[in-house]
Amino acid sequence: FENITDVVWTIDTNLVFQKMSPSVERMLGYKPQYFIGRSVVDLLNILDSESMERVMTEIGSVLGGQAIPSSVYRFVARDGTLKVGEISGSPIFRNDEIIGMVCVTRDITERAHAEEAVRRSEKKYRDLFDFFPLPVYEMDFNARLVSANRAVYETFRGTEEDLKRDPNAWQILSPEDIDRSRKNIERLLKGEKIEGTEYNLKRLDGSVFPAIVISSVMYDE
């Protein structure tokens, strides 16, 4: 309790803090004594508005006998910085009666910031992907369409739902070009570089048009 990195705390059924581990000072800048003997209600200023709406509901659930496996809250530290904590909580029983709750708060601020950066990066990539005027699509090794930009739907005269019903990429190739495409994909997977190849592509309404397709292999990590 004295040396744990996570913040461990307990409250009684009156929502009064009974114990607070010293690690709270590293996370929020407050000494444990700041909390002891005070009500949770008096300390809502350390939570952002969205977290305040949930905290009383979840405390009520725990004091009603339920455990909280994991819940994310945003805290305002003493210096005004925003911290993100992952909280799990369980009721404390004595003689089969609930006398309070114990919670563990893990500081996940850095992880949350990294996840937010990834989300922003993915949104930026998706926006550029959709804005690109030429059809761009990704397919897996089973020739299933994994993703497609808006220009694909416009060019092939279909919707995302249409392509999801039959995600096989061969549906947008004329039958006589499927075998040639398979061979080119095999060459790509062997490391060969293939210039743009002209195919007859097939729209979802059955009409056919010529197009130059440029393909490359995608690598993960």
Side-chain angles (χ1 to χ4, degrees), residues 145-162:
L145 290 170
V146 177
S147 63
N149 68 352
R150 292 175 187 171
V152 168
Y153 308 129
E154 295 169 0
T155 301
F156 291 93
R157 297 175 184 170
T159 64
E160 185 175 1
E161 288 70 28
D162 293 329

Side-chain angles (χ1 to χ4, degrees), residues 95-176:
N95 299 326
D96 296 325
E97 182 180 344
I98 295 175
I99 62 168
M101 64 181 284
V102 58
C103 290
V104 178
T105 303
R106 174 160 294 175
D107 188 348
I108 61 167
T109 305
E110 290 186 11
R111 189 184 84 191
H113 288 168
E115 289 172 351
E116 179 60 27
V118 169
R119 281 193 291 270
R120 287 197 300 266
S121 177
E122 288 176 345
K123 182 181 184 303
K124 182 178 180 181
Y125 163 77
R126 184 72 220 185
D127 290 344
L128 290 170
F129 185 61
D130 275 337
F131 180 76
F132 199 62
L134 297 177
V136 181
Y137 62 90
E138 176 189 349
M139 59 185 279
D140 63 18
F141 290 124
N142 296 314
R144 290 173 58 85
L145 290 170
V146 177
S147 63
N149 68 352
R150 292 175 187 171
V152 168
Y153 308 129
E154 295 169 0
T155 301
F156 291 93
R157 297 175 184 170
T159 64
E160 185 175 1
E161 288 70 28
D162 293 329
L163 290 175
K164 281 182 178 178
R165 277 194 291 270
D166 181 11
N168 194 304
W170 303 133
Q171 69 169 311
I172 60 176
L173 269 178
S174 59
E176 63 272 13

Side-chain angles (χ1 to χ4, degrees), residues 32-77:
Q33 293 76 13
Y34 177 78
F35 298 90
I36 305 303
R38 301 181 68 177
S39 170
V40 171
V41 179
D42 296 335
L43 299 173
L44 293 182
N45 61 298
I46 67 172
L47 292 169
D48 73 355
S49 56
E50 189 275 332
S51 295
M52 283 193 294
E53 294 176 3
R54 284 191 294 117
V55 66
M56 299 309 295
T57 299
E58 295 197 344
I59 287 177
S61 297
V62 174
L63 293 179
Q66 300 179 34
I68 301 175
S70 180
S71 189
V72 176
Y73 285 92
R74 295 184 181 275
F75 299 89
V76 181

